Amino acid sequence: MWKIRVECMFSAAHRLLNYEGPCGRLHGHNWKVVVVLEGDELNRNGMLMDFRTVKQIIAEFDHKVLLKSSDPLVEVLRKADQEVIELSVNCLLYTSDAADEGLGVDL
């Protein structure tokens, strides 16, 4: 069994929908993501996965606005030509879908 661990950082804005308090307003954070991948086989280059592939997936979040799909702010920001990533439940589900569809990686 092979295992790799990749740590990445990105900056993004979000808000907690229907939250009474400052976090209910749009604000930003620096986010740290730790990705751990395991597999039985290495590719022809002797790698489980190229670190660049993982970093490409995480880079999709950098300097974006992360909002629930149901947030009315999604439509407002899109009309203002702002990049918004709609999250159905959480970032993990979005990342998994991005990997499956965009990069041919099975998470």
Side-chain angles (χ1 to χ4, degrees), residues 31-93:
W31 304 77
K32 178 180 180 180
V33 178
V34 177
V35 178
V36 178
L37 301 169
E38 295 181 4
D40 293 325
E41 298 179 21
L42 301 178
N43 67 17
R44 62 184 174 89
N45 294 321
M47 296 185 285
L48 183 59
M49 177 186 275
D50 191 328
F51 282 10
R52 289 183 303 163
T53 303
V54 176
K55 290 179 180 181
Q56 284 176 321
I57 294 169
I58 303 305
E60 290 183 37
F61 292 93
D62 196 34
H63 288 86
K64 302 288 188 338
V65 178
L66 312 176
L67 296 172
K68 285 187 175 182
S69 298
S70 60
D71 193 320
L73 194 52
V74 170
E75 186 178 330
V76 172
L77 291 172
R78 288 226 167 105
K79 285 182 180 177
D81 291 326
Q82 298 296 309
E83 290 189 65
V84 177
I85 294 177
E86 293 180 58
L87 305 173
S88 55
V89 176
N90 59 39
C91 291
L92 179 60
L93 292 179

Side-chain angles (χ1 to χ4, degrees), residues 18-29:
N18 302 317
Y19 180 79
E20 298 293 327
C23 293
R25 294 188 291 276
L26 193 61
H27 63 284
H29 293 281

